[in-house]
Amino acid sequence: MGARQATDRSEGRERRLEILYSSAEIEARIRDLAQDIAAVMGPDVMIVAILKGSFIFAADLVRALHHAGMRPRIDFMMLGSYGTATASSGRIEVLHDVRDEVQGREVLVVDDILESGRTVAFARERLMARGAARVRLCVLLDKPGKRGAGIEADFVGFRCPDQFVVGYGLDYAHHYRELPFIGYFADA
Ligand code: IMP
Ligand code: MG
């Protein structure tokens, strides 16, 4: 087994995963991303992390933002989109909304992956409607192949090939979020 592969046994059977981004690569990229964000946004940004997928990324990003001299506030929005395990239907449901005051704030929406763009477009519109001064978007992965909502992120960790990926917060049917790297199934 090469260095870019891992074996996962979390569903009672073995699945081979190709590692796309190792934990060391993710860590290094987030450090640079935090510097980019700090260069553009004021220190008192409000982070809105989209659950569940972004929870690990957001946790690492806010600590990197601290090292970059920022003082982020952090709140969460949990959004669900109906669909199958690997494709969303387009309908978005608010499962948990932001609790903190949004009015007048510089907001950075943080999500795991930008695919069609519907999820972050929805979050941005909702935050603008609540009076945010400005809403920027930061995604760990940008999968441009399936973009529909005419939306681009302001800050992108990695441009990702058009593969279904898991790990580092991203799931397949509620599994694999705990993996410290991002990979895809070799046998898929
Ligand atoms: P969008 O609304 O089509 O941009 O989809 C974004 C959401 O779909 C993300 O927040 C993820 O939760 C999920 N998603 C999209 N692609 C993947 C993937 O490759 N692996 C795991 N989840 C994904
Ligand atoms: Mg998600």
Side-chain angles (χ1 to χ4, degrees), residues 53 81 88 92 111-120 143 163-166 170-172:
S81 72
S88 77
I92 290 164
D111 205 0
D112 51 358
I113 185 164
L114 183 62
E115 194 171 39
S116 74
R118 282 189 292 259
T119 306
V120 291
K143 228 199 252 181
Q163 291 265 13
F164 192 84
V165 294
V166 297
L170 290 136
D171 74 310
Y172 169 69

Side-chain angles (χ1 to χ4, degrees), residues 144-172:
K146 294 190 185 125
R147 191 81 86 257
I151 194 161
E152 296 302 329
D154 300 278
F155 306 98
V156 173
F158 300 99
R159 290 207 194 279
C160 175
D162 208 358
Q163 291 265 13
F164 192 84
V165 294
V166 297
Y168 198 72
L170 290 136
D171 74 310
Y172 169 69

